[in-house]
Amino acid sequence: MKLFDISGKVALVTGGNGGIGLGMARGIASCGADVAIAGRNAEKAAAALESLRALGVRAEFISADVTKKAECQRMIAETEARFGRVDILVN
């Protein structure tokens, strides 16, 4: 029995390809949500995506520099286009 189940939800985690962001992404994925991780380094994201997908969820990388407003807007739009929506946002 899961104590916390967010299956069917979509999360977007900025900085989700390492450190605290990846820890948050793993926690969310372990509770059943699909996860988009955003960051600047696609190579670093490859290992993060592998670990998230191993938890049985859909996980994708979105390249974005969150210091730029236009990239933040594109990041949200791209997540919505790929996953259909954003239910959870972790910055």
Side-chain angles (χ1 to χ4, degrees), residues 39-84:
R40 295 178 291 179
N41 187 328
E43 288 180 31
K44 185 177 174 184
L49 289 173
E50 187 176 321
S51 72
L52 294 169
R53 290 173 181 152
L55 295 170
V57 300
R58 179 176 169 203
E60 294 193 28
F61 174 68
I62 310 240
S63 178
D65 180 347
V66 297
T67 66
K68 298 178 178 160
K69 183 179 179 179
E71 289 201 31
C72 290
Q73 292 169 327
R74 182 192 49 77
M75 172 184 67
I76 295 291
E78 193 169 332
T79 303
E80 289 176 333
R82 291 189 195 186
F83 290 87

Side-chain angles (χ1 to χ4, degrees), residues 1-47:
M1 178 178 99
K2 286 185 181 178
L3 294 177
F4 192 70
D5 187 1
I6 52 176
S7 298
K9 301 293 183 185
V10 175
L12 170 58
V13 181
T14 61
N17 58 351
I20 293 170
L22 179 55
M24 292 296 296
R26 283 184 182 136
I28 289 167
S30 72
C31 292
D34 292 331
V35 182
I37 57 173
R40 295 178 291 179
N41 187 328
E43 288 180 31
K44 185 177 174 184

